[in-house]
């Protein structure tokens, strides 16, 4: 085929993957989504990526741009085999360069750069990134976070957002254009712009600082403090955070983003709070957001049931991160994907790797601190609070004043306890996926909802009708408590209809004034609201990049 030959000329034969086994880990989503592809293209330079994109568009094919493929709603993979054109995935993982601007006050990240790499790079200059690893996004890319308006766990910084990006776009008449809104003067032609950017051939004289273009969500710290507002603090369809690449969900091909970084906190302290009364946690949230001088760094909620599932079925990920570090995790997951592909080719169970990893984890001793296990036994609701610098004394004095109570208590974590508590919380989402893999006879599927509640909601803990609960094996609640963003995973009994249950859940959420999805974007699971669909259509009038996202049209020209 002429297109495949052209792509091989551009990026090299070994970086154009066409076999089912070679493309498996790229065309199958982390939690959901899968479909056929003509090829997976792995460019090694920005210019190769741009030229490959031009070739695919000129051939009339669909393009899905993918980085780490850690999304939870299937938005970075094909969804089924009913597209009217061949699909080509452009994988950006080889393009992982990070440039620091000035003394690191800002960064420019290429499309394959990961959050953990950015965090490590900035740590050397005493700075911090806009986000940190999330509940299931270990190894996630920086650009993917911006494209999906990923919310993250950092209360003071809000969702991943920028108005400064470099991207390729397809016009209504099918032409590919390069749009440079990075604020870097790099030249005029794609070859000059992309080559100079990748090589870092720009200095202070070529760097513009336009006050009208933000490189982070500067207002979120105030937004989240409005505890009596009847709207959520953040959600994917919020029109205030849809701007070009931000919230684009692959509707343009992003080649670089420019983002703010932040001074590193001099001191951090973690507090572990347990309670049997949700109203007690509500009072804590409202008091801290409404009265504290310093906002928390993070505030993560974990229900006892999610604690238990994560304690067993997230244990191998927990131990892998503790022993290998986040830097090696993408290699670990890639090796697992290759092993799963081999099992599939040999007609073995694709859950074999999960069973092996779970067996190893089960043999390991208990991995959480004793005080966490004690609070698990005593309390249904768990809140992890991280404060920085002046906020530490403020939190310690407040918690010491209100606890112990009839329904709750707290303790200040040691450094090791705090690290393990937050890592345990972040293992929760992956644990649900592992549970599903190991119980195929009793589990139909997982309904995973990503929910933003209004900031003034007091009855945040969900009560479901018996008609729904009787069809569920487990309900797993965890999330970013102070932002009122919750991840709600429902393990559906075998024989029940997960899609019907999900639609029933949507009706309940609508009645509560919730917005969903909150931070994982619509993917192929949620319908895009009109403003979000309009954003996609304005970015991609030909409908040739990631068509069908948000349950929109898959046809050329949005027919």
């Amino acid at each position: 085929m002429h297109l495949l030959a052209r792509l091989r000329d551009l990026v090299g034969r070994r970086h154009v993957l066409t076999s089912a086994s070679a493309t498996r880990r790229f065309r199958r989503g982390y939690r959901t989504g899968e479909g056929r592809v003509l090829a997976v293209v792995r460019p090694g330079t920005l210019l190769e990526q741009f030229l490959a994109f031009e070739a695919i568009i000129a051939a009339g094919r669909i393009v899905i741009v993918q980085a780490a493929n850690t999304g939870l709603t299937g938005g970075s993979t094909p969804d089924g085999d009913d597209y009217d054109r061949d699909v080509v995935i452009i994988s950006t993982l080889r393009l992982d360069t990070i440039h620091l601007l000035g003394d690191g006050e800002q960064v420019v990240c290429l499309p394959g750069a990961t959050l953990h790499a950015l965090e490590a790079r900035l740590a050397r200059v005493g700075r911090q990134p806009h986000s940190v690893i999330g509940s299931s996004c270990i190894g996630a890319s920086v650009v993917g976070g911006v494209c999906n308006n990923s919310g993250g766990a950092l209360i003071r910084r809000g969702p991943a957002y920028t108005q400064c990006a470099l991207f390729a776009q397809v016009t209504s008449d099918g032409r590919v254009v390069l749009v440079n809104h990075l604020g870097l003067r790099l030249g005029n032609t794609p070859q000059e712009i992309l080559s100079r950017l990748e090589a870092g051939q720009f200095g202070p004289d070529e760097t513009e600082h336009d006050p009208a273009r933000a490189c982070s969500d500067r207002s979120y710290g105030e937004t989240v403090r409005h505890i009596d507002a009847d709207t959520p603090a953040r959600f994917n369809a919020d029109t205030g955070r849809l701007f070009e690449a931000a919230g684009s969900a692959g509707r343009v091909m992003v080649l670089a983003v420019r983002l703010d970084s932040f001074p590193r906190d001099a001191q951090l302290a973690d507090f572990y709070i347990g309670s049997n009364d949700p109203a007690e946690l509500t009072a804590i949230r409202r008091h801290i957001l409404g009265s504290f001088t310093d906002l928390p760094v993070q505030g993560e909620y974990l229900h006892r049931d999610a604690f238990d599932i994560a304690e067993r079925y997230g244990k191998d990920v927990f131990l892998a991160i503790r022993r290998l570090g986040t830097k090696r995790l993408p290699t670990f997951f890639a090796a697992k994907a290759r092993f799963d592909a081999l099992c599939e080719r040999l007609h073995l169970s694709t859950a074999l790797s999960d069973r092996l990893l779970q067996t190893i984890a089960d043999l390991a001793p208990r991995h959480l601190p004793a005080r966490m296990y004690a609070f698990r036994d005593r309390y249904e609701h768990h809140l992890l609070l991280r404060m920085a610098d002046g906020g530490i004394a403020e939190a310690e004095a407040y918690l010491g004043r209100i606890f112990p109570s009839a329904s709750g208590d707290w303790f200040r974590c040691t450094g090791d306890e705090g690290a393990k508590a937050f890592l345990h919380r972040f293992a929760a989402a992956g644990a649900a996926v592992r549970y599903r893999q190991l119980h195929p006879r009793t589990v139909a599927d997982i309904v995973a909802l990503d929910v933003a509640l209004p900031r003034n909601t007091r009855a945040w803990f969900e009560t479901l009708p018996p008609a729904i609960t009787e069809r569920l094996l487990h309900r797993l609640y965890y999330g970013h408590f102070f932002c009122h963003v919750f991840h709600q995973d429902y393990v559906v009994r075998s024989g029940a209809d997960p899609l019907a249950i999900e639609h029933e859940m949507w009706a309940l959420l609508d009645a509560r004034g919730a917005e969903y999805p909150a931070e994982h974007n619509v993917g192929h699971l949620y319908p895009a609201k009109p403003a979000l669909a309009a954003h996609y259509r304005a970015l991609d009038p030909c409908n040739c990049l990631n068509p069908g996202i948000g349950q929109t049209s898959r046809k050329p020209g949005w027919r």
Side-chain angles (χ1 to χ4, degrees):
M1 182 180 291
H2 175 72
L3 175 60
L4 293 179
R6 172 64 175 151
L7 294 173
R8 289 172 181 132
D9 287 343
L10 287 172
V11 306
R13 179 173 293 274
R14 66 188 293 257
H15 295 300
V16 179
L17 313 178
T18 57
S19 71
S21 59
T23 61
R24 180 185 185 277
R25 68 187 179 100
F26 300 94
R27 57 182 170 81
R28 180 173 293 183
Y30 172 75
R31 177 180 278 170
T32 188
E34 181 181 4
R36 287 198 304 262
V37 297
L38 176 67
V40 174
V41 183
R42 303 176 65 245
T45 69
L46 288 179
L47 185 59
E48 287 181 3
Q49 182 177 345
F50 180 79
L51 294 175
F53 180 61
E54 279 192 319
I56 299 164
I57 296 300
R61 302 319 203 267
I62 288 170
V63 173
I64 297 178
V65 184
Q66 181 189 98
N69 193 17
T70 58
L72 300 184
T73 57
S76 56
T77 61
D79 184 60
D81 299 327
D82 57 345
Y83 293 87
D84 62 344
R85 295 154 284 168
D86 289 330
V87 176
V88 179
I89 293 175
I90 296 179
S91 171
T92 65
L93 289 178
R94 297 175 66 204
L95 305 172
D96 58 358
T97 301
I98 298 170
H99 297 299
L100 303 188
L101 301 183
D103 294 323
E105 293 91 351
Q106 290 187 325
V107 297
V108 174
C109 296
L110 270 54
T114 60
L115 276 175
H116 64 72
L118 177 59
E119 187 173 10
R121 180 75 184 276
L122 286 172
R124 298 198 289 267
V125 295
R127 307 285 295 183
Q128 301 176 99
H130 63 287
S131 189
V132 295
I133 62 171
S135 52
S136 57
C137 305
I138 297 164
S141 70
V142 175
V143 166
V146 170
C147 291
N148 289 314
N149 282 140
S150 296
L154 300 182
I155 299 167
R156 297 175 296 180
R157 300 174 202 168
Y161 180 76
T162 187
Q163 295 176 339
C164 295
L166 174 70
F167 55 92
Q169 187 173 24
V170 183
T171 63
S172 58
D173 57 357
R175 292 181 298 111
V176 174
V177 295
L178 185 64
V179 180
N180 180 11
H181 288 163
L182 276 177
L184 299 176
R185 293 189 294 273
L186 298 165
N188 299 311
T189 67
Q191 182 170 359
E192 187 178 13
I193 292 169
L194 297 172
S195 299
R196 287 186 60 193
L197 173 62
E198 191 159 7
Q201 293 176 351
F202 53 87
D205 292 342
E206 290 86 26
T207 304
E208 300 169 349
H209 296 276
D210 184 353
R213 284 187 177 263
C215 293
S216 62
D217 186 349
R218 300 167 181 166
S219 64
Y220 188 74
E222 286 305 310
T223 298
V224 77
R225 283 189 183 273
H226 295 164
I227 55 177
D228 291 315
D230 60 2
T231 57
R234 55 178 170 89
F235 56 97
N236 285 139
D238 184 353
T239 56
R241 298 188 180 96
L242 301 177
F243 188 91
E244 297 180 343
S248 61
R251 292 297 193 163
V252 294
M253 186 178 72
V254 181
L255 294 150
V257 292
R258 178 174 172 177
L259 295 162
D260 291 329
S261 71
F262 302 85
R264 185 163 56 190
D265 297 309
Q267 187 179 5
L268 293 171
D270 297 327
F271 304 91
Y272 202 102
I273 301 162
S275 179
N276 289 316
D277 183 3
E280 193 164 44
L281 298 190
T282 299
I284 291 171
R285 174 184 173 272
R286 291 180 61 84
H287 180 81
I288 289 177
L289 291 179
S291 304
F292 270 29
T293 301
D294 294 292
L295 279 172
V297 177
Q298 293 173 254
E300 295 296 300
Y301 170 76
L302 189 69
H303 185 265
R304 177 189 280 155
D305 292 344
F307 183 111
D308 290 346
I309 293 290
E311 194 271 342
R312 182 176 182 193
Y313 296 99
K315 187 176 181 180
D316 62 311
V317 171
F318 179 103
L319 295 174
I321 294 174
R322 290 282 293 183
R323 296 175 184 178
L324 301 177
T326 55
K327 183 178 181 179
R328 294 188 178 94
L329 259 293
T331 302
F332 171 80
F333 287 131
K336 180 182 181 299
R338 285 193 290 271
F339 181 82
D340 290 342
L342 175 63
C343 290
E344 188 174 58
R345 196 162 63 247
L346 297 175
H347 304 290
L348 300 174
S349 170
T350 54
L352 182 57
S353 64
D354 289 282
R355 295 188 182 281
L356 291 172
L357 290 169
Q358 190 61 49
T359 299
I360 294 170
D362 288 342
L363 293 173
R366 297 181 100 186
H367 58 291
L368 298 176
R371 289 200 287 183
M372 283 181 62
Y373 283 118
F375 265 49
R376 179 259 168 238
D377 293 339
R378 291 166 58 190
Y379 303 116
E380 181 180 0
H381 306 283
H382 298 236
L383 178 61
L384 286 60
L385 177 65
R386 175 166 289 171
M387 302 296 299
D389 302 332
I392 296 173
E394 196 171 17
E396 195 153 26
Y398 170 63
L399 295 175
R401 193 164 64 246
I402 65 171
F403 286 120
S405 68
S407 53
D409 207 349
W410 71 290
F411 63 87
R412 178 169 173 170
C413 300
T414 65
D416 186 61
E417 284 176 327
K420 288 182 175 179
F422 276 92
L423 183 52
H424 179 58
R425 151 65 187 92
F426 291 145
V433 176
R434 170 64 55 76
Y435 185 94
R436 178 185 64 182
Q437 286 290 91
L438 298 185
H439 299 85
R441 294 181 180 177
T442 57
V443 176
D445 205 347
I446 298 170
V447 171
L449 297 180
D450 169 33
V451 177
L453 296 178
R455 284 162 282 178
N456 64 354
T457 300
R458 293 175 183 263
W460 53 271
F461 189 66
E462 181 177 67
T463 301
L464 290 175
I468 291 180
T469 58
E470 66 188 12
R471 289 175 281 166
L472 305 176
L473 287 170
H474 298 286
R475 290 174 285 166
L476 309 178
Y477 298 103
Y478 51 96
H480 314 305
F481 187 66
F482 288 85
C483 301
H484 257 192
V485 168
F486 294 91
H487 304 301
Q488 303 177 176
D489 292 348
Y490 307 94
V491 182
V492 180
R493 291 182 183 275
S494 179
D497 182 351
L499 187 60
I501 292 173
E502 183 169 19
H503 290 175
E504 291 173 48
M505 298 284 192
W506 289 355
L508 296 174
L509 292 172
D510 290 340
R512 299 173 69 193
E515 290 281 355
Y516 51 92
E519 61 180 6
H520 290 157
N521 221 313
V522 289
H524 291 282
L525 297 185
Y526 299 91
K529 292 197 168 183
L532 189 58
H535 183 55
Y536 295 160
R537 189 162 186 159
L539 293 174
D540 181 21
C542 284
N543 204 21
C544 52
L545 287 97
N546 222 353
I549 286 291
Q551 300 179 13
T552 57
S553 169
R554 298 188 179 199
K555 300 296 184 181
W558 296 82
R559 291 195 299 271

